[in-house]
Amino acid sequence: MLAAMPDSAPSPLSAGGPAPRDGGDACPGTLRLHRADDGALARVRVPGGVLSADRADALLAAAGRFGDGELHLTSRGNVQLRGLDAECGGGLAALLTAAGLLPSAAHERARNIVASPLAGLDGSPALGHRLAELDALVCGSAAAAALSGRFLFALDDGRGDVDALGADVTLIAEGAEVLLRIGAEDEVFRVPAADAPRTALLAAEAFLRAARDSGAWRVKDLPDEVRAGLVRAIGEAAGPAVRRPRPRTATPPAPGPHGSPAAISVDVPLGRLTPAQWRLLTETARRYGDELRLTPWRGIVVPGPFGRPDDAAKALHTLAAAGLITAPDSPWTGVGACIGRPGCAKSLADVRAEAGAAVGPPGRLPVYWSGCERRCGHPHGEWIDVVVTPDGHRISHVRGERREAPETVRDDPAALAAAVAAARARSL
């Protein structure tokens, strides 16, 4: 077992390489709001994306009382509230604390945990107990409060969906054991299932120790020799090593029924939910299983049990009528975008409107529209990258860390839509 880290570890300062970034980690939370052009923004961490119906109601109440009423899903299965009054922090924190959504003020930005959203619903191992234990351990560790808001844990049920997301510490279910991956390393370590959550926490604390001098926010930001030393130290303490390359592309749950059906899955156009849509999803969850699972692909899984197949069909029909994506053949499947104008001052265009105007037949590859070079919220794996520049829209095919030569399309909506459709149609 890895040794516990002293509680006095400093907070990492950088997220783009070994050189520290001025100003520290500005990743928003619920106690540290981010100022945007449409008001303040709060990011509420939802470990594993798991929400009870009551907690979902609390988020809706917070959005309506303090913000613009809408709820925005993130690429880590969290929820953002926008249009907030910059002075609402105390009231927002009190509401979320009362709902159990803010168990530790010191750790609210460190509770970044994604989990396979179909775990335990379609024959795969359940992860709920492991998720709850890891979250409790993170909140109980004084050292873990120093993790940046970008550091990510992942719990994979063995299918490889969240293993593909490039988390800093990943636990992968494999029979009676669990595999531990550090960053994107192909080498993983076998650990007893009972020790897995604590081993994940101690690996994160070991990262903080390694990042002390480099100022890295994430494992991938560590200098090569420091990262290699971290992996070696964890391996010596964790367990036997085996080779298991990280999946290149994540496969999110397809919209529709799952597990005969034990659950239904819907995608959310551009991750943006109106109060009526959120309320309908919450009512559906309360009727069948009292749980929502927010996915890292801006979708929502509603676990059952659904007594009969037509129960699931009726629920999906109602959700489709409300504007949600309930089948893979929707033209919105795989389409994502940052907030763009007018919400973000750095954006060069209203990319959500542009994405909507360019929606066509479903593509083989997901596409993500970004209003500037920061590409906030972009996906991982293989995807089509559309970035607004002063010269037009730059379109490129991304495969992990590799990027094909881009094509630039000037200000011509028809040509832009055609170029995006052609790029999305490429073979995986």
Side-chain angles (χ1 to χ4, degrees):
M1 179 71 69
L2 293 166
M5 182 181 176
D7 291 346
S8 58
S11 178
L13 297 177
S14 171
R21 181 181 291 179
D22 292 340
D25 174 17
C27 196
T30 55
L31 303 179
R32 179 187 294 180
L33 304 184
H34 170 75
R35 292 184 181 272
D37 266 19
D38 57 351
L41 175 155
R43 185 174 300 158
V44 184
R45 267 62 177 191
V46 184
V50 177
L51 279 173
S52 67
D54 285 347
R55 289 181 177 176
D57 283 340
L59 285 172
L60 180 61
R65 186 178 307 172
F66 302 111
D68 62 11
E70 295 187 334
L71 299 104
H72 300 256
L73 306 185
T74 77
S75 60
R76 290 183 167 188
N78 295 318
V79 174
Q80 289 189 164
L81 310 178
R82 300 190 68 95
L84 302 170
D85 184 327
E87 306 303 319
C88 77
L92 176 63
L95 189 158
L96 297 178
T97 299
L101 288 162
L102 190 59
S104 170
H107 297 83
E108 60 108 3
R109 295 190 311 141
R111 299 171 69 223
N112 287 310
I113 309 173
V114 295
S116 298
L118 291 176
L121 301 176
D122 60 354
S124 61
L127 298 176
H129 62 295
R130 204 164 288 155
L131 171 64
E133 183 179 354
L134 177 57
D135 186 31
L137 287 168
V138 169
C139 290
S141 165
L147 291 171
S148 83
R150 292 165 172 79
F151 192 92
L152 181 64
F153 296 92
L155 302 182
D156 193 291
D157 64 3
R159 77 184 70 220
D161 54 354
V162 297
D163 187 16
L165 298 182
D168 298 281
V169 176
T170 302
L171 297 176
I172 309 159
E174 188 179 72
E177 293 183 306
V178 172
L179 304 178
L180 171 71
R181 187 189 306 280
I182 306 301
E185 298 295 318
D186 287 345
E187 189 176 59
V188 297
F189 306 102
R190 295 189 183 278
V191 298
D195 295 338
R198 182 165 294 280
T199 303
L201 170 67
L202 295 177
E205 292 178 339
F207 159 79
L208 284 171
R209 191 160 53 244
R212 190 189 304 269
D213 295 326
S214 68
W217 282 342
R218 302 198 61 189
V219 168
K220 66 180 181 180
D221 302 330
L222 292 170
D224 290 346
E225 66 277 9
V226 176
R227 185 171 61 250
L230 170 66
V231 174
R232 185 167 54 251
I234 291 173
E236 290 173 354
V242 296
R243 181 176 173 80
R244 179 166 173 158
R246 182 166 62 88
R248 188 179 70 178
T249 301
T251 303
H258 292 270
S260 299
I264 57 174
S265 176
V266 299
D267 289 340
V268 179
L270 302 180
R272 187 176 185 174
L273 287 151
T274 66
Q277 289 172 327
W278 186 267
R279 192 175 295 110
L280 179 58
L281 283 161
T282 304
E283 291 170 354
T284 304
R286 190 170 273 118
R287 182 177 304 120
Y288 293 105
D290 201 49
E291 182 177 282
L292 297 167
R293 297 186 184 182
L294 316 182
T295 80
W297 303 278
R298 296 180 173 88
I300 297 181
V301 169
V302 182
F306 292 87
R308 299 168 298 177
D310 61 339
D311 289 340
K314 289 176 181 177
L316 288 167
H317 177 78
T318 302
L319 294 168
L324 298 171
I325 302 167
T326 60
D329 59 357
S330 167
W332 281 103
T333 299
V335 179
C338 71
I339 195 66
R341 287 183 177 175
C344 177
K346 295 184 181 295
S347 180
L348 300 178
D350 184 350
V351 287
R352 294 192 167 209
E354 291 182 336
V359 162
R364 292 176 180 266
L365 293 169
V367 58
Y368 195 81
W369 298 68
S370 299
C372 73
E373 297 286 357
R374 295 186 305 165
R375 297 178 175 84
C376 295
H378 70 76
H380 296 270
E382 190 168 13
W383 50 289
I384 300 302
D385 183 35
V386 183
V387 180
V388 184
T389 72
D391 298 323
H393 292 71
R394 190 173 65 243
I395 304 171
S396 55
H397 186 172
V398 179
R399 292 185 177 92
E401 301 300 320
R402 295 183 298 146
R403 183 183 299 272
E404 289 187 359
E407 171 189 3
T408 298
V409 178
R410 307 291 178 180
D411 294 330
D412 181 340
L416 177 61
V420 171
R424 294 191 70 197
R426 294 173 185 168
S427 298
L428 289 170

